[in-house]
Amino acid sequence: MTGHDAPPTHGLSTGPATSLAYHTGTWRTERPVYVELSPPCSLACPSGEDIRGWLGSTQEGAPGFEAAWRRLVSANPFPAVMGRICYHPCQASCNRGELDEEVGINAVERFLGDTALAEGWELPAPTTETGRRVLVVGSGPAGLSAAYQLRMLGHSVLVREAAGEPGGMMRYGIPAYRLPREVLAQEISRIERTGVVIECEAPVTDLDAAQREFDAVVLTMGAGVAHHVDIPAGAASKIVDAIDVLRDVASGRPPLVGRRVAVYGGGNTAMDAARTARRLGAQDAVVVYRRTQEQMPAHPTELQDAIGEGVRVQWLSTISQVEGQTLTIERMELDEEGRPHGTGEFEELDADTVMLAVGQDADLTLLENVPDIHVSDGVVQVDPTTLMTGRDGVFAAGDVSPGSRTATYAIGRGARAAKAVDAYLAARVIPAEPAPREATYDRMTSWYYSDAPKQHRGELEAARRVTGFEEVLTGLDAEHAVFEARRCMSCGSCFECDNCFGMCPDDAIRKLGPGMRYEIDYDYCKGCGICAEECPCGAIDMIPEVK
Amino acid sequence: MTTVHIPFLQTGTLAVGGRLLEDEERSVQSQADRPSSLTKGHRACQGCAEALAARWVMDTAVEAADDKLIVANATGCLEVFSTLYPESAWKPPWIHSVFANAAAVATGIAASLHAQGRDDIRVLAQGGDGGTVDIGLAAVSGMFERNDDVLYVCYDNQGYMNTGVQRSSATPTSARTATTPAVGCQPGAPVGQGKSMPKIAMAHEIPYVATATVADLRDLEHKVRTAMSIHGARYLHVLVPCPLGWGASSAESIRLSRAAVQSGIFPVIESRAGELTDVQPIRQRMDVEEYLRPQARFAHLFKPGGEDALDRWRAMAERNIRHYDLLGERS
């Protein structure tokens, strides 16, 4: 074709075209990639809850509450209980704490738990029946968590409990002003309705017989036996175990404690005992602790609440003798390594009752003639991955085994034991989980989060509290729970704020619609990094392009 | 218990969108089917805020005009990177004539449409700071003075960037450019020179003048919508960081805009008929260093001898904060 027979071009050598023909993606040296990271709250949650997930559903308001609760109970069947008694390590690690105040996760958990009880939401029914039988020894948080998870996996589960009522330390160790019994009873019976059978006053005494009857056994007897120290004491002295006082109160047989009570110890049980003593009529409740406040094992909020109710604490003190109603207290001092030593200085303290709260031991009578189950440090030793004891098919979780003695930890370990039992029954190995990548605060662009302080739960007036066992903390209403949930920054997980989509100078991101998130068009993405930089929650990585 | 107004939406209207927002609270840019008037494949540098701002402005204007919008473009980066012959990245009708005359071309289009009884078709003119503040100022001023029915948008990246980063009269003091090297006793752009185009526009007492940045999409969309609801001459001045000319990382364009506003360096204002009518208060006060330090064109401010220049920048921020009451102390 020559210039003369070509079609007329009207002065243009070629027709108009669109820039879409030019793929600017070839310029890229780094590519943005959406990632899903683990938030610090979930990493800190001993129960392994998907906190970000259930807060996300709660953010939608009433229509999202049930979905939120279902996500929550997939890990923890006790949201109304744990929403009250958990020491919420999740909140201590919450990234929002760096911005203003941490999200009140625990209060929202309680709101969802209470809403589920009010609405009568039921736990899901197992989808299969395996026909395998598992015995759980003890019905505390570890036992019931294991039983529930095993039931969800289709196994037939029997829980045998030595005490008259199920719940373990949740029932007999935690006072009603922190955990109303009705709430506990409802959450336990909801687990029973999934098919878990709980037999009370049914102590297990023969492990061999139990193993013949069941395909696997999970030991969750807890640590309900008071630890003892030797204190020289006269016959007229009244020395009791704090855990027994708590148990008697929980069983409806409150003991007489007198006007002045001394509690010996510095853990949460000591705090519960002192606060309970105040409620039983003691005008003066003194906690005697041999170390300092910084070294105290009790949770700081427990100590705060106790002091708020008029409990006094005598730091750096040991009880060296009890004679009648007079305690001899020795002052202690710390050495360079922080260990307390006696100073030889003594003083006297009057007390009608002395409550010992110096630790609790596991009741291991069941294992006395079982040589292949190894006990050391007073607890049953287990394989850290499978939680199996030295005996094939026998697992242990909760306070009877090593680890933190909190209900949330027990729930997490119970669930883990269930997973391990399930794998054992199927002769499978538990697959190793990849190490999680944490969504750290430095990845976040906090500018985009609206300013909002935490919605504090109201507290009953301290003066009102000590008159009875009514609940101390009140819950959030729906409005405040939604508000609190919306304070969640969704660390490390896209919540569809549209920043990447709206801020791409190259129009190279596609929005896929509600719940579907986005897709990067690498034909045009130049890799400038604005999307990653401006992503509020740090859910985009920039990865070097490999030639 | 404290009572609070509950519709708290996690990111509120600070982010582009958000699944918790009602439809009417959503920005144009958050819509999956937004116009994308400046489409993919344009040749702007990585992280170009001008390309971003142009899409934001144009998409909002296209929606406000019911798709009936004609655009006249001055010479500059925006024109060069969007229309490499024979390709165009523009979806609306778009014309480029020469450097100095975008305002005059737009005036002509508006006059022609009016003569044809097509006042339903709206006209937008746009250019960089070179085409607006320097080379095209006469045409822009004439358009303002005649109150022609045109929205003129200036994307201010503070220099002649596509020809190799030369100084313009919008280049700020101390900034290093190819023609104002960081040498001598007063390195960078000279002190006491340059113009404020928003103030010049306000002096014409035209119906609407506003400033905006790419750090606040909602504000920018609101201002374009407001401008489109008015007839007559209107002026919008948008600060657009240039990673190449400013010597900054391509990922930082929005962060730098945010620092410019939150330090008080770039006041975000609205004016009607020459009177200041609205000022965006500082939300999180930042130091001028947060704006200056990431930019290589200001690197000499942080070396020995740069103290006086840095003090001048602090004083500029303080003056703006005082003059525009950016901390809301007087209101």
Side-chain angles (χ1 to χ4, degrees), chain A residues 59 488 497 504 507 511 526, chain B residues 10 17 19 30 34 44 55:
Chain A
Q59 287 164 359
C488 171
C497 75
C504 175
D507 199 27
K511 179 173 173 172
K526 295 171 187 162
Chain B
Q10 195 169 31
R19 64 195 173 96
S30 73
R34 69 187 178 206
R55 190 184 75 228

Side-chain angles (χ1 to χ4, degrees), chain A residues 37-46 49 51-52 88-98 105 436-444 488-493 537:
Chain A
L37 306 181
S38 300
C41 53
S42 286
L43 290 175
C45 177
E49 289 179 15
I51 296 167
R52 181 180 62 198
H88 43 75
C90 52
Q91 291 183 206
S93 66
C94 173
N95 276 337
R96 181 124 201 169
E98 307 259 345
I105 298 166
R437 260 185 80 197
E438 182 171 350
T440 49
Y441 187 67
D442 57 5
R443 292 183 62 95
M444 321 273 295
C488 171
M489 304 197 291
S490 190
C491 308
S493 178
C537 64

Side-chain angles (χ1 to χ4, degrees), chain A residues 262-545:
Chain A
V263 179
Y264 194 29
N268 290 320
T269 303
M271 298 301 117
D272 285 341
R275 294 173 72 184
T276 295
R278 289 278 288 143
R279 287 172 172 77
L280 293 174
Q283 285 171 6
D284 194 16
V286 185
V287 171
V288 179
Y289 179 54
R290 62 200 200 106
R291 296 173 188 251
T292 60
Q293 183 167 348
E294 292 71 45
Q295 295 170 314
M296 192 176 215
H299 195 272
T301 59
E302 288 285 302
L303 173 65
Q304 227 170 48
D305 289 347
I307 289 172
E309 291 171 12
V311 171
R312 294 190 295 127
V313 187
Q314 198 152 340
W315 304 107
L316 286 169
S317 303
T318 55
I319 300 177
S320 53
Q321 196 183 345
V322 184
E323 192 56 55
Q325 294 182 351
T326 304
L327 274 58
T328 307
I329 305 280
E330 182 176 10
R331 302 291 302 165
M332 307 297 282
E333 61 183 10
L334 297 182
D335 64 16
E336 281 164 6
E337 277 152 22
R339 282 185 306 238
H341 294 284
T343 59
E345 287 173 44
F346 294 91
E347 59 185 297
E348 290 187 343
L349 181 75
D350 287 341
D352 301 308
T353 305
V354 178
M355 295 185 187
L356 297 180
V358 291
Q360 283 156 237
D361 298 328
D363 178 1
L364 300 172
T365 45
L366 169 64
L367 307 177
E368 266 162 14
N369 296 312
V370 185
D372 44 2
I373 293 186
H374 179 56
V375 174
S376 78
D377 300 329
V379 287
V380 175
Q381 298 302 309
V382 292
D383 179 296
T385 309
T386 63
L387 305 192
M388 187 141 84
T389 65
R391 177 177 282 207
D392 190 58
V394 179
F395 300 75
D399 288 359
V400 78
S401 62
S404 158
R405 284 189 171 173
T406 57
T408 177
Y409 186 76
I411 288 170
R413 298 293 275 187
R416 186 178 186 86
K419 202 186 270 182
V421 167
D422 186 57
Y424 167 83
L425 293 177
R428 271 190 294 111
V429 176
I430 306 178
E433 285 161 27
R437 260 185 80 197
E438 182 171 350
T440 49
Y441 187 67
D442 57 5
R443 292 183 62 95
M444 321 273 295
T445 307
S446 64
W447 168 265
Y448 292 108
Y449 296 101
S450 314
D451 311 303
K454 185 164 84 169
Q455 301 298 294
H456 290 281
R457 282 183 278 191
E459 284 188 49
L460 292 177
E461 287 299 313
R464 257 187 71 210
R465 272 193 234 168
V466 289
T467 59
F469 286 89
E470 62 194 295
E471 193 167 13
V472 172
L473 279 175
T474 57
L476 297 179
D477 59 24
E479 269 192 331
H480 287 85
V482 171
F483 184 103
E484 197 56 42
R486 287 178 175 185
R487 293 184 65 243
C488 171
M489 304 197 291
S490 190
C491 308
S493 178
C494 170
F495 59 99
E496 299 180 51
C497 75
D498 295 337
N499 266 10
C500 53
F501 172 65
M503 292 177 176
C504 175
D506 300 306
D507 199 27
I509 294 180
R510 280 190 289 268
K511 179 173 173 172
L512 303 177
M516 314 276 285
R517 298 181 172 173
Y518 313 91
E519 190 174 68
I520 294 166
D521 188 341
Y522 293 111
D523 281 349
Y524 298 99
C525 166
K526 295 171 187 162
C528 69
I530 285 181
C531 54
E533 181 77 22
E534 300 302 323
C535 174
C537 64
I540 302 177
D541 270 351
M542 294 301 293
I543 311 284
E545 290 285 0

Side-chain angles (χ1 to χ4, degrees), chain A residues 12-22 24 27-29 56 59-60 96 445 447-452 455-458 475 479-480 483 486-490 495-499 501-507 511 521 524 526-530 533-534, chain B residues 1-20 26 29-32 34 36 38-48 51-52 55-56 82 85-89 214-215 250-255 258 262 283-284 286:
Chain A
L12 299 173
S13 59
T14 170
T18 160
S19 60
L20 293 173
Y22 188 80
T24 51
W27 303 6
R28 201 170 52 239
T29 57
Q59 287 164 359
E60 288 156 27
R96 181 124 201 169
T445 307
W447 168 265
Y448 292 108
Y449 296 101
S450 314
D451 311 303
Q455 301 298 294
H456 290 281
R457 282 183 278 191
E479 269 192 331
H480 287 85
F483 184 103
R486 287 178 175 185
R487 293 184 65 243
C488 171
M489 304 197 291
S490 190
F495 59 99
E496 299 180 51
C497 75
D498 295 337
N499 266 10
F501 172 65
M503 292 177 176
C504 175
D506 300 306
D507 199 27
K511 179 173 173 172
D521 188 341
Y524 298 99
K526 295 171 187 162
C528 69
I530 285 181
E533 181 77 22
E534 300 302 323
Chain B
M1 196 178 280
T2 44
T3 47
V4 285
H5 178 60
I6 288 300
F8 168 72
L9 301 161
Q10 195 169 31
T11 51
T13 51
L14 292 165
V16 168
R19 64 195 173 96
L20 300 170
R26 290 171 190 256
Q29 283 309 303
S30 73
Q31 297 161 4
R34 69 187 178 206
S36 286
L38 178 61
T39 191
K40 307 174 227 285
H42 64 70
R43 267 73 144 188
C45 304
Q46 291 157 322
C48 174
L52 179 60
R55 190 184 75 228
W56 287 4
S82 62
Y85 181 79
E87 294 165 14
S88 169
V214 287
S250 62
E252 288 181 321
S253 296
I254 289 172
R255 194 143 70 91
R258 189 152 60 231
Q262 301 303 316
R283 174 174 173 243
Q284 278 175 21
M286 295 180 187

Side-chain angles (χ1 to χ4, degrees), chain B residues 9-248:
Chain B
L9 301 161
Q10 195 169 31
T11 51
T13 51
L14 292 165
V16 168
R19 64 195 173 96
L20 300 170
L21 294 175
E22 300 293 331
D23 280 349
E24 60 268 25
E25 292 169 319
R26 290 171 190 256
S27 63
V28 175
Q29 283 309 303
S30 73
Q31 297 161 4
D33 59 348
R34 69 187 178 206
S36 286
S37 309
L38 178 61
T39 191
K40 307 174 227 285
H42 64 70
R43 267 73 144 188
C45 304
Q46 291 157 322
C48 174
E50 186 175 42
L52 179 60
R55 190 184 75 228
W56 287 4
V57 166
M58 199 78 66
D59 282 1
T60 314
V62 162
E63 280 215 352
D66 253 342
D67 290 344
K68 287 181 266 185
L69 184 78
I70 295 176
V71 184
N73 210 125
T75 303
C77 289
L78 184 60
E79 166 261 322
V80 168
F81 74 60
S82 62
T83 48
L84 267 80
Y85 181 79
E87 294 165 14
S88 169
W90 298 103
K91 290 186 189 168
W94 182 93
I95 182 171
H96 166 244
S97 175
V98 295
F99 213 141
N101 69 355
V105 170
T107 292
I109 295 168
S112 159
L113 289 168
H114 183 67
Q116 296 171 68
R118 293 304 304 269
D119 288 323
D120 56 320
I121 301 175
R122 309 300 301 275
V123 183
L124 188 148
Q126 59 183 4
D129 51 294
T132 307
V133 186
D134 287 345
I135 299 172
L137 184 60
V140 173
S141 176
M143 184 210 108
F144 287 170
E145 178 270 330
R146 293 185 302 269
N147 198 26
D148 291 325
D149 190 10
V150 173
L151 167 59
Y152 192 100
V153 183
C154 171
Y155 304 102
D156 177 11
N157 60 14
Q158 306 185 333
Y160 290 90
M161 300 315 189
N162 90 81
T163 49
V165 195
Q166 293 85 10
R167 174 191 175 270
S168 79
S169 59
T171 301
T173 179
S174 322
R176 185 203 66 197
T177 67
T179 46
T180 57
V183 293
C185 55
Q186 274 199 354
V191 179
Q193 297 184 7
K195 321 170 193 170
S196 163
M197 192 59 208
K199 283 182 183 163
I200 293 172
M202 282 168 70
H204 287 76
E205 300 191 356
I206 54 174
Y208 188 73
V209 173
T211 64
T213 72
V214 287
D216 193 340
L217 168 69
R218 305 305 180 110
D219 176 71
L220 182 141
E221 287 192 354
H222 170 77
K223 282 169 175 165
V224 173
R225 251 193 308 275
T226 305
M228 292 298 289
S229 71
I230 297 169
H231 285 271
R234 293 142 285 146
Y235 179 71
L236 179 65
H237 188 100
V238 188
L239 179 70
V240 287
C242 169
L244 174 78
W246 295 16

